[in-house]
């Protein structure tokens, strides 16, 4: 447990200066989160990017030397170019990924600022991004789309986070925005599908009620999904928005919904009518539709937000949206739906989830992500047709169901590695972890092999000694030296103790 | 294990005089149920009020002294008033709660009488009440409403119980009526929704078939829900009645159902038309609708039956019905539906389940129960709209789903304590257990703390002894005395061994 | 573990001459499968008839002596009649059951032949039959019905099996055809319900896509169902065909489906119109409808295929189809539907599954199978009505849900014994195992009893020795001799270590 004996090494600003005001128990939260084992098992499935502290502990021992090294570097560097590059790299490391350093720094601030950080992370978590800057950019995109929608989304996130605090959910999860992302979707989509138009202020009432129910439903679903080490994705949002929409329906005096009806005639489909510019534009629109936005600029802004945090996420979002568009064409969907991005948004989410987020990004996992996007598009058409019977949109049910299916599936190959839910952070870091694990594993295997050989030879040597016959002492020495060398190559292996064979779902099968 | 060394203390009439006729194995059943551990795990989720014997064991050691005390009291008492009060209290204790004493006394009777007891308990178990007297009163209420419906309900309960015996289900669960309550609902609601009108005798055939399937479906669902320590509620009834209704449908020659269709136009809603008398009356009607009855007197009788067994249950039933009515008004429901109690019955059940039945009744749990009632009302509207597509009523799906969600949710606060399913009895007793547990826990914590202090001081004393410096021996003595005193205060702690931290779902997570 | 010390006894042709070409790791697969414990837990629920090797190991010790005995018999036998009978018996044993010997022999052949074997087993596995000969006969029946459908079914099986190989699923399961049976159903039913008519070649595209998704969905479902030791049945087929049909729907330009609509008027039902010949014919038609075939000859051929592999399966298929027909009459179904076998096919499957396949065939289990068939028919009507709202057929959802319910249910009686999923093979063998287990158990119980008595008497003897009183030494000797004799009677008890009390779902409850 590196977290135990290195605790004194943790920079003071991280572990000590906790905001002791407001009876927040931040210290105890931190302590709890230092050790994976203490984390309530039920909450883990919720954590796409669990606690900054968890990953913190793993990174502590490397981080300190790195900081020192950097300090040393700065004095040694002669060329300004190199210096600038290093600085740039550092700046990028501050704003990319999950902005851990910023998160730590935030802990010293006032609760209001912290809360704002949580809300922004919640805004971005819809796309599995645990990054307040991305959240801010996404929120800007929402404002560009429609200010009333953005307001509803904001109210949803805020009240979902407040409700999670009231219901005493895991502080680390709240801080990662994991209780906010369903809230923003609930708020946004209730506004989008309301037939009363913009600025119908009464809508805020069911919005607040449903947002506040989010953490409760999330927690309940997490208790179930944790049995299979699965996340809850946007299931709470799907459940609650569908619940609201079908409870009120189109024929309601207070909260009517837009009218959605099943298709009852053959759509007119002439391939000559196709507009390739709109088809191309449907890729960013598809990304935007994750938040219910049809403005291509908004979609573009979202893509920028994704790129800042994680280029791999950005890449898979783009691929997903394109796959959705192609699937729509293949399944004879009306072109209007494709242009409007309705075929893209589920595939975007599914492709991100499988491609690097919950699986380590090998090329097999990448292919699986593309397959999942295709499956998701098919499922999307199916669910849209089923839901239209009740006057409901498809929401993100297709994404949830397809991603859960692809995460639940097991295989005997080791190149498709599903990360334990508690260790999921963001694709780049996940990949890094996976590689280190592989390396450590390889080194260990080699070492064991050499040791065995050495032991064999030693045994032989003894026998030879007895028979007075000494020949191969050098070989043994070589073997030992090799083993040590290999072990030196993989010193960053903070995952040393973990065996890659312990596939979570296999372990749980017992 | 108090059950082990106190076994000789169990009154003879309880453990010995088992009806050995009819090869009933009552003795072995009793033995089995003496130890919680031996209970088949799969059956526990079914047990709202599991076996009288289980709770018996916990209560054994206290009960005997209580009886002795009471015996002693009677000779000592001088004023007749006090004596009358004590007698009244005892009479009340005989007919309230789960009527354990009566249940034990029943074990010596003929099987037919026992069977009648089980059926009556089954009638009341719809409302989580394990009390034959309440069952009798509820049945009287049903007769008042409609004798054909009452007959169908009776047939349903009887055949469900018989089927459970044939399928060799747990005898304790059968005796608690846990295999009967789905039967009565199946019988009643099949009669209520039949389009052939009253006294269509052929209806008894599917009624008997479906009632007899109840225990099987109950058992299967219990196997699944037991993984999360959740009860099955009225899910078997929901499944089987929906199955029957949708299998035959409105357009059937033999068993047609009343026509239920989705709403296709805006209801006319003018607030000036509202009738406050009917609105007020909808509270008892809502309680009555749990059994499909719209007669307010029947609803009132049901409320009396609840009050007899458990005032807390009665209170939450009333609150739930009121919450449902308010929700109906808030969501623009047609007034007719609200007056008819359709918005109330699910909330009644949900509010009872969360408020004191499966959670210990703290004020946080009470608030949670009210929140659950609101959520349930919302869900009720949603499910009613969804089901109407298939020509089905909402049944009690909304109650089941909302209560399961609220039971499945986890929190870090200790004031919301979910009782292990096997220990659930009735709200008053649950609360009593919870308080004792808390007390015992507190005493233990204090004792440990004092012990630690004492140990510290003893260590200090030794050091002081060595240095020849003696000053604080009295403090230590005081600490010890205090600890003993505290332990004396909580002697009834039959739950001493249990740690409150062992939240069932956490333990099962491994 | 008999598999361990008898490994040298395994005939060489089975364990050694594995096709080492094509990097197939057949050897390692075999090693893995030798020991139940090493099998990936997630895959077991898929295995109706898991690996030939598993059952092989259990059979090893008996098989060798049997072969020797047979060798010895042939020299001893004098009458040709007896010899012919023995030969016939041996021939039957080669083609009946799961054709284990043939499967072993196949392992030495080229991969293409092996693959063909897997595909044929997959064709038969729809009916829980792990037998390539049955598969071939069934395929002939399909060709008789419709060659385009047969082609689609073949393509489905082939691509599902290929996909399972690509996705690195368990080799033993693939070889048992457990990844093929969903494929054939997907292929067949997509062709049956296509509104474009026969030989619409584009249909092969979604067919291949859906077939290749089968193993993935199977694996995901197996991960979930394994928690309750339940098989996945044809759930992947149901999910994927419904997905395709509802995604495209009737109003689609490329892949339109036949129009299915809910019933909106009372069917005209006059009992005088009933045609008893057609009613009788509906029994084989019902069996044929498992593969979507309405030709009674095809159904008859399928029944022959069933009889070859397992007469018990054949019997229950017939009973199931008859029960479905009766249920249809009881629930006022249009006669056309009954003649067309729509009421039969689900009951056929449900009756097979419960009657001897997953439960050991006691007469209680047989009654349960008949009850399950009735329940399944009821459920079939319900699901058909629900699905028609979306323009979908009932598929085999009713079978899956009813069989899962009846498998999930628990009872305290020991005469209904659910086999652990990994030990399920075919009804005759399952029954054999169950009987041996019972026998071994009984012998053990008797032995223990005698030992106890002996111990008691020995204690008494000692006491008597001390008091110089010797009387009953002979009794003790008798008891010992008896015990040995009983143990000798049950020497085939390869299941000796297993306790029958270890009901799988109970064990998993911890």
């Amino acid at each position: 447990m590196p977290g135990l004996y290195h605790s004194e090494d943790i920079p003071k600003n991280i572990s000590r200066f906790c905001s002791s005001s407001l009876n927040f128990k931040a210290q105890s939260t931190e302590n709890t989160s230092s050790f994976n084992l203490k984390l309530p098992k039920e909450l883990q499935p919720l954590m796409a990017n669990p606690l900054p502290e968890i990953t913190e502990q793993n990174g502590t021992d490397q981080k300190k030397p790195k900081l020192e090294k950097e300090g040393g570097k700065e004095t040694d560097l002669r060329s300004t170019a190199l210096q600038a590059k290093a600085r740039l790299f550092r700046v990028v490391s501050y704003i990319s990924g999950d902005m851990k350093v910023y998160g730590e720094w935030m802990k010293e601030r006032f609760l209001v600022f912290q809360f704002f950080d949580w809300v922004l992370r919640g805004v971005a978590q819809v796309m599995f991004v645990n990054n307040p800057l991305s959240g801010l950019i996404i929120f800007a995109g929402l404002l560009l789309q429609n200010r009333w929608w953005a307001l509803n989304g904001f109210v949803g996130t805020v009240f979902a986070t407040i409700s999670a605090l009231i219901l005493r959910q895991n502080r680390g999860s709240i801080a990662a925005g994991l209780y906010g992302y369903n809230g923003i979707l609930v708020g946004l989509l209730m506004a989008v599908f309301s037939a009363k138009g913009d600025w119908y202020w009464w809508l805020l009432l069911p919005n607040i009620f449903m947002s506040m129910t989010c953490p409760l439903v999330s927690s309940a679903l997490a208790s179930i999904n944790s049995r299979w080490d699965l996340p809850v994705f946007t299931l709470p949002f799907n459940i609650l928005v569908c619940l609201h929409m079908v409870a009120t329906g189109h024929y309601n005096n207070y909260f009517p919904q837009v009218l959605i009806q099943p298709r009852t005639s053959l759509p007119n489909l002439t391939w000559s009518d196709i507009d390739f510019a709109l088809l191309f534009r449907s890729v960013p629109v598809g990304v935007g539709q994750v938040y219910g936005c049809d403005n291509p600029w908004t979609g573009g802004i979202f893509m920028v937000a994704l790129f800042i945090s994680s280029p791999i996420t950005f890449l898979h979002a783009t691929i997903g949206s394109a796959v959705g568009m192609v699937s729509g064409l293949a399944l004879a969907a009306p072109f209007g739906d494709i242009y409007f991005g309705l075929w893209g948004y589920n595939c975007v989410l599914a492709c991100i989830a499988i491609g690097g987020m919950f699986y380590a990004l090998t090329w097999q996992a990448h292919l699986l992500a593309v397959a999942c996007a295709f499956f998701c598009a098919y499922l999307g058409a199916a669910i849209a047709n089923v839901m239209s019977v009740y006057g409901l949109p498809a929401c993100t049910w297709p994404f949830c169901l397809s991603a859960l299916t692809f995460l639940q599936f097991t295989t005997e190959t080791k190149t498709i590695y599903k990360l334990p839910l508690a260790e999921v952070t963001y694709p780049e870091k996940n990949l890094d972890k996976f590689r280190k694990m592989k390396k450590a594993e390889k080194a260990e295997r080699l070492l064991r092999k050499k040791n065995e050989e050495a032991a064999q030879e030693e045994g032989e040597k003894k026998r030879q000694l007895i028979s007075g016959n000494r020949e191969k002492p050098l070989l043994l020495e070589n073997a030992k030296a090799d083993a040590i060398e290999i072990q030196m190559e993989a010193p960053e292996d903070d995952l040393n103790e973990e065996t890659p064979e312990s596939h979570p779902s296999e372990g749980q099968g017992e």
Side-chain angles (χ1 to χ4, degrees), chain A residues 197-210:
Chain A
D198 291 358
W199 310 106
Y200 175 66
W201 291 95
W202 287 105
L203 191 66
L204 288 180
L205 282 183
N207 182 348
I208 290 171
F209 180 79
M210 283 297 164

Side-chain angles (χ1 to χ4, degrees), chain A residues 416-479:
Chain A
I416 292 181
Y417 174 68
K418 187 181 152 205
L419 287 114
L421 202 52
E423 285 180 18
V424 169
T425 46
Y426 55 93
E428 284 77 8
K429 198 162 186 174
N430 294 340
L431 184 58
D432 197 43
K433 258 184 202 168
F434 175 68
R435 279 190 185 145
K436 275 175 190 160
M437 202 183 70
K438 279 273 165 204
K439 222 177 186 173
E441 203 186 321
K442 206 174 158 187
E444 208 182 336
R445 211 160 45 220
L446 240 140
L447 184 67
R448 197 161 44 218
K449 205 177 151 192
K450 295 240 170 176
N451 278 347
E452 274 167 26
E453 279 175 21
Q456 267 188 350
E457 280 176 33
E458 206 149 354
E460 223 165 277
K461 211 163 57 176
K462 274 183 190 166
R463 254 174 289 135
Q464 286 169 349
L465 261 172
I466 291 164
S467 61
N469 196 353
R470 294 179 62 170
E471 267 173 281
K472 294 168 192 165
L474 273 170
L475 223 92
L476 175 68
E477 302 294 309
N478 289 348

Side-chain angles (χ1 to χ4, degrees), chain A residues 1 15 19 21 25 30 36 46 79 81 111 115 118 125 134 138 146 177 206 258 373 376 391 398 416 419 509:
Chain A
M1 296 288 285
S15 65
S19 67
S21 61
K25 295 208 300 177
E30 198 158 73
N36 274 353
L46 206 72
S79 76
L111 180 63
F115 187 81
W118 302 343
Q125 276 285 13
S134 299
I138 287 170
N146 183 319
V258 295
C376 182
I416 292 181
L419 287 114

Side-chain angles (χ1 to χ4, degrees), chain A residues 361-383:
Chain A
L361 188 68
T362 54
W363 67 263
Q364 287 95 334
H366 178 72
L367 287 183
L368 202 67
V370 174
C372 184
F374 272 109
F375 183 71
C376 182
Y378 225 121
L379 191 60
I383 289 180

Side-chain angles (χ1 to χ4, degrees), chain A residues 157-226:
Chain A
T157 330
V158 166
F159 277 91
T161 310
I162 289 173
S163 168
L165 289 171
I166 294 172
L167 290 168
R168 291 281 197 121
Q169 299 299 298
N170 183 282
R171 184 57 54 94
S173 303
I174 296 173
L178 291 172
Y179 286 102
Y181 70 94
N182 283 300
I184 190 176
L185 287 176
V186 164
L188 270 175
L189 274 295
M190 275 171 70
V192 169
F193 288 110
S194 168
K196 282 274 189 181
D198 291 358
W199 310 106
Y200 175 66
W201 291 95
W202 287 105
L203 191 66
L204 288 180
L205 282 183
N207 182 348
I208 290 171
F209 180 79
M210 283 297 164
S211 311
M212 292 194 79
T213 321
C214 266
L216 205 144
V217 175
S218 290
S219 172
L221 284 173
S223 297
I224 294 170
N225 284 13
S226 68

Side-chain angles (χ1 to χ4, degrees), chain A residues 350-409:
Chain A
C351 204
I352 294 175
I354 304 298
M357 185 57 71
F358 294 98
Y359 281 117
L361 188 68
T362 54
W363 67 263
Q364 287 95 334
H366 178 72
L367 287 183
L368 202 67
V370 174
C372 184
F374 272 109
F375 183 71
C376 182
Y378 225 121
L379 191 60
I383 289 180
N385 285 344
V386 167
M387 301 297 260
S388 68
V389 171
Y390 312 108
L392 290 175
C395 298
T396 54
W397 286 107
F399 145 64
C400 289
L401 298 181
S402 59
L404 287 174
T405 306
F406 274 69
L407 281 179
Q408 186 62 344
F409 127 92

Side-chain angles (χ1 to χ4, degrees), chain A residues 30-180:
Chain A
E30 198 158 73
N31 287 344
T32 311
S33 55
S34 303
F35 314 112
N36 274 353
L37 294 169
K38 285 191 187 166
L39 261 171
K41 178 94 213 215
E42 280 73 24
L43 288 159
Q44 292 181 5
L46 206 72
M47 302 183 201
N49 308 4
L51 319 183
E53 293 89 343
I54 292 181
T55 55
E56 175 56 32
Q57 283 305 320
N58 292 332
T60 305
D61 9 12
Q62 295 115 270
K63 199 179 148 192
K64 211 191 52 164
K66 201 181 84 187
L67 286 171
E68 285 176 359
K69 224 189 288 169
E70 279 179 3
K73 249 184 213 163
E74 273 173 32
T75 54
D76 288 354
L77 284 174
R78 270 138 216 162
S79 76
T80 337
L82 261 174
Q83 210 169 354
K85 202 174 160 190
R87 202 168 286 162
L88 180 72
F89 181 78
R90 206 166 47 176
V91 168
V92 167
S93 84
Y94 281 155
I95 61 165
S96 73
D98 49 10
M99 287 181 71
K100 206 166 62 188
V101 179
Y102 173 79
E104 299 300 340
W105 177 81
M106 252 300 166
K107 284 204 181 132
E108 306 167 43
R109 302 287 93 75
F110 275 124
L111 180 63
V112 178
F113 291 114
Q114 279 192 56
F115 187 81
F116 196 65
D117 177 47
W118 302 343
V119 166
L120 286 182
R121 283 176 193 266
V123 169
Q125 276 285 13
V126 175
M127 298 271 211
F128 305 102
V129 168
N130 181 4
N131 187 314
L133 185 62
S134 299
L136 200 66
I137 294 170
I138 287 170
F139 195 72
L142 290 177
L143 282 174
L144 177 71
Q145 169 79 35
N146 183 319
R147 280 182 299 146
W148 167 243
W149 295 0
L151 173 66
N152 271 276
F154 183 72
V155 167
T157 330
V158 166
F159 277 91
T161 310
I162 289 173
S163 168
L165 289 171
I166 294 172
L167 290 168
R168 291 281 197 121
Q169 299 299 298
N170 183 282
R171 184 57 54 94
S173 303
I174 296 173
L178 291 172
Y179 286 102

